[in-house]
Amino acid sequence: MHSFTEENYLKTIYYLATRQEGEVTTNALAEMTATKAASVTDMLRKLADKQLIHYRKYQGVRLTEEGERLALKIIRRHRLWEVFLVQKLGFGWDEVHDMAEELEHIRSDELVERLDVYLEYPQFDPHGDPIPTPTGTMPATGYQKLSEIQTGTSVCIMGVLEHSPEFLQHLARTGLTLGCSLTLREINAFDKSLLVQIQPETALFVSHDVARNLLVA
Amino acid sequence: MHSFTEENYLKTIYYLATRQEGEVTTNALAEMTATKAASVTDMLRKLADKQLIHYRKYQGVRLTEEGERLALKIIRRHRLWEVFLVQKLGFGWDEVHDMAEELEHIRSDELVERLDVYLEYPQFDPHGDPIPTPTGTMPATGYQKLSEIQTGTSVCIMGVLEHSPEFLQHLARTGLTLGCSLTLREINAFDKSLLVQIQPETALFVSHDVARNLLVA
DNA sequence: TATTATTTTTAGACTTGCCTAAATTTTTTA
DNA sequence: TAAAAAATTTAGGCAAGTCTAAAAATAATA
Ligand SMILES: [Mn+2]
Ligand SMILES: [Mn+2]
Ligand SMILES: [Mn+2]
Ligand SMILES: [Mn+2]
C-alpha cells in the first residue's frame, strides 16, 4: 500500500504536469505541497524506487503509467467525495475541499464504487472538474477560459481553475455559479476587465483575474 | 490536534475500561492495539503529558474527563459512519468496521453533525451499539447477554458484543439478525448450548460462545 | 565563455510511533 | 516471607517524513 503522503505527491505531480509543458520541477512540488525542496527530493527518490515516477537527478519528474493510474484513482475519490458532501450533506462548494483531501485516502475500492452508484454516476464534481473513470482515464472537456473568448459570444459557466474558498465565495456572491449562461459584451482595453450579461436586465464587470479562472463552453 | 494513533489509543482505553473493573493495563492495550507493551508505555507517557489519561507507573491507566470526551467523540463518528455505510451504501454489517476505523479520524465536527442530520439522528449503529451524543455522553442500554436469561423468556436481539466478520456472518446465516425476537426453550446442561425458538415452526441450537456475545432485551 | 545566480541534491538532525533486549517493579507461589 | 514468575518500564535503535545548512549541478548573464 501507499502512504497518504505518497498519494498526495502523486496527485500534485499529476496536477502540475497538466498545467505546464515538460517535466515537473522540485521547486514547484515544494511550493504546492508546502514543504522544502530537500524534502521533495527525498520523496522523489522513494517514488522512483517504487516505479511510480520517471526521475533523473536535476531534470524533474514525470509519472509512470502506474503512477498516473494511481493519481487518477485518488482524484476520482476526491471528486466523488466532494459530490457527496455538496449533494447529500448540503455543504457549499467552497467548504468541501479540505474534507475531500482527507476522505480521498480512505482505503477501499468497494467504498468508492458504491459511492459512485449512490451518487448516480456523476460526471463532474462541484467545481466542474471531470471525474476520472474507474479504469483510470480522465475525461476530456474542451472548456475555454472566459478570458479567451470573443466579444459577443454566449457561453455557459462549466468550471473553475482556482479552488480557494475566497474565490468560490466571491463567485457565489456575484451570481457566477456553475451552469449560469452569459454573453460577453465587451473587454476593457485598459485593465482587460470584462462586461458580461447574465440576465436580460443585469450585466456586471468581471476582472481579468476572475475571467482567466472561469471555464466556459 | 491529535494523531490517528492517539485517537485509537483513547478509544481502546475507553473500550477496555467498560469491560473490566479498575484500571486498564499495559498488556491489555498492547494486545488490543496489536503492538508491544514497550510501545504502549511510550504512548501512555505521551497521553498523560497531554492530560488525556491518569497514569501511575506500573498501576495502569484511566481516562481523564477530557480523554473520555475525546474517546466518545471518536466512537460517535465511528458509529455514525457505520450507519451511513450500511443504510446508504448498502454494505453488510460484517463489512463496515475497517472502513469506519479510518473514517472516524476525518477531522471535521461539521461533517459528523451533518451526517447525523442526513441519517436522521440514528440512536444505534448496525451492531446495536448506542451512538454517543454530540456533547459526549454514552446512552445506557441495559441489555443482557442471551447466555444469562431464564429459560422460557421471550426477548429481542438488540446487539452483539463480538464484531468479527466471521461471527456476524454466522449470525446472518442462521437468521439471528438485529430485531429478531426469540424464546429461550432450554439450556443443555452438558455444553451450555441453548435451544431457541425464532419462528412458531423453527427452533435452533445456539452455542454458549454465540449466546454470550448476543445482547437481548 | 567565464562568472554569477538559481535550482537541486546531500549531509546531518529531529519527531512520531514502533521494535527488541535488558532492567525494574509487582504479583504469585512455594 | 523469600524466591520465581509475570508485568511493566527503560535503553537504544529503526523507518518515514520533515527540516536547515552546505555542496553540487544547471541556467543565466556579462
Ligand atoms: Mn490528500
Ligand atoms: Mn473539486
Ligand atoms: Mn481508527
Ligand atoms: Mn459498530
Side-chain angles (χ1 to χ4, degrees):
Chain A
M1 259 326 100
H2 308 99
S3 68
F4 282 28
T5 312
E6 288 170 322
E7 291 185 348
N8 284 336
Y9 268 90
L10 290 175
K11 222 179 47 161
T12 308
I13 294 167
Y14 181 91
Y15 177 80
L16 289 174
T18 60
R19 303 261 152 160
Q20 310 143 200
E21 260 318 295
E23 320 278 278
V24 174
T25 68
T26 301
N27 266 0
L29 282 166
E31 189 180 358
M32 275 285 284
T33 57
T35 62
K36 297 304 162 75
S39 311
V40 172
T41 302
D42 285 345
M43 181 56 78
L44 294 184
R45 219 166 42 72
K46 190 173 160 194
L47 293 174
D49 285 349
K50 295 195 176 186
Q51 320 255 38
L52 297 172
I53 58 173
H54 296 291
Y55 173 49
R56 294 193 342 275
K57 282 198 327 192
Y58 296 100
Q59 305 303 311
V61 297
R62 186 162 50 80
L63 291 173
T64 61
E65 279 203 14
E66 174 66 2
E68 178 164 321
R69 204 185 55 72
L70 250 166
L72 285 168
K73 182 167 163 173
I74 309 303
I75 293 169
R76 172 172 165 81
R77 292 179 182 176
H78 184 106
R79 293 180 180 173
L80 281 173
W81 278 115
E82 281 190 344
V83 173
F84 168 74
L85 293 172
V86 168
Q87 304 220 321
K88 302 293 184 179
L89 297 194
F91 279 103
W93 71 341
D94 56 310
E95 303 179 295
V96 296
H97 186 80
D98 290 349
M99 285 177 277
E101 203 60 44
E102 298 187 34
L103 287 162
E104 71 191 1
H105 303 291
I106 305 291
R107 278 168 224 298
S108 167
D109 290 339
E110 175 86 4
L111 173 56
V112 70
E113 294 323 312
R114 281 192 187 246
L115 193 62
D116 193 30
V117 173
Y118 184 56
L119 299 171
E120 299 178 85
Y121 313 103
Q123 301 296 299
F124 301 95
D125 86 356
H127 312 102
D129 291 312
I131 295 175
T133 65
T135 53
T137 56
M138 179 69 87
T141 58
Y143 299 150
Q144 282 184 288
K145 295 178 185 174
L146 175 58
S147 58
E148 288 169 351
I149 67 168
Q150 300 287 317
T151 308
T153 323
S154 286
V155 292
C156 214
I157 298 181
M158 304 305 285
V160 292
L161 284 177
E162 160 76 34
H163 289 191
S164 72
E166 294 73 29
F167 178 65
L168 298 176
Q169 282 161 21
H170 172 69
L171 291 184
R173 270 197 306 275
T174 51
L176 297 167
T177 52
L178 236 60
C180 166
S181 57
L182 57 82
T183 306
L184 177 54
R185 286 295 171 218
E186 50 182 88
I187 302 177
N188 188 324
F190 175 64
D191 65 354
K192 296 194 202 155
S193 67
L194 294 73
L195 180 62
V196 301
Q197 184 137 22
I198 55 175
Q199 298 287 333
E201 303 290 300
T202 36
L204 54 86
F205 279 103
V206 173
S207 75
H208 182 255
D209 260 3
V210 167
R212 71 185 165 74
N213 282 297
L214 269 179
L215 293 174
V216 298
Chain B
M1 262 324 101
H2 309 97
S3 67
F4 282 28
T5 311
E6 288 170 323
E7 291 185 347
N8 284 335
Y9 269 90
L10 290 175
K11 222 179 46 160
T12 307
I13 294 168
Y14 181 92
Y15 177 81
L16 289 173
T18 60
R19 304 263 153 159
Q20 309 143 200
E21 258 318 295
E23 320 278 279
V24 174
T25 68
T26 302
N27 267 359
L29 282 166
E31 188 180 359
M32 274 287 283
T33 57
T35 61
K36 297 304 163 78
S39 311
V40 172
T41 302
D42 285 345
M43 181 57 78
L44 293 184
R45 218 166 43 72
K46 190 172 160 195
L47 292 174
D49 285 349
K50 295 195 176 186
Q51 321 254 35
L52 297 172
I53 58 174
H54 296 291
Y55 173 49
R56 292 189 348 273
K57 283 198 324 190
Y58 296 100
Q59 306 302 312
V61 296
R62 186 163 48 80
L63 291 173
T64 61
E65 278 202 16
E66 173 67 2
E68 177 164 322
R69 205 184 55 71
L70 250 166
L72 285 168
K73 183 166 162 174
I74 310 302
I75 293 169
R76 173 172 165 80
R77 292 178 182 176
H78 184 106
R79 294 181 180 172
L80 281 172
W81 278 115
E82 281 190 344
V83 173
F84 168 74
L85 293 172
V86 168
Q87 303 220 322
K88 302 294 185 179
L89 297 195
F91 279 104
W93 72 341
D94 56 310
E95 303 178 296
V96 297
H97 186 80
D98 290 349
M99 284 177 277
E101 203 59 46
E102 298 187 33
L103 286 162
E104 72 191 1
H105 303 291
I106 304 291
R107 279 169 225 295
S108 168
D109 291 339
E110 175 86 3
L111 173 56
V112 71
E113 293 323 313
R114 281 189 187 248
L115 193 61
D116 193 29
V117 173
Y118 183 56
L119 298 171
E120 299 176 84
Y121 313 104
Q123 301 295 301
F124 301 95
D125 86 355
H127 311 104
D129 292 312
I131 296 175
T133 65
T135 53
T137 56
M138 178 71 86
T141 59
Y143 299 148
Q144 283 184 289
K145 295 178 187 174
L146 175 57
S147 58
E148 290 169 352
I149 69 168
Q150 300 288 315
T151 308
T153 321
S154 286
V155 291
C156 214
I157 298 182
M158 303 306 284
V160 292
L161 284 176
E162 160 75 34
H163 289 190
S164 72
E166 295 72 29
F167 179 64
L168 297 176
Q169 283 161 21
H170 172 69
L171 291 184
R173 270 197 308 274
T174 51
L176 297 167
T177 51
L178 236 60
C180 166
S181 58
L182 57 83
T183 307
L184 178 52
R185 286 297 170 214
E186 51 181 86
I187 301 176
N188 187 323
F190 175 64
D191 65 355
K192 297 195 203 155
S193 67
L194 295 72
L195 180 62
V196 301
Q197 183 137 23
I198 56 176
Q199 297 288 333
E201 304 290 300
T202 36
L204 54 86
F205 279 103
V206 173
S207 75
H208 181 255
D209 260 1
V210 166
R212 71 184 164 74
N213 282 296
L214 269 179
L215 293 173
V216 298

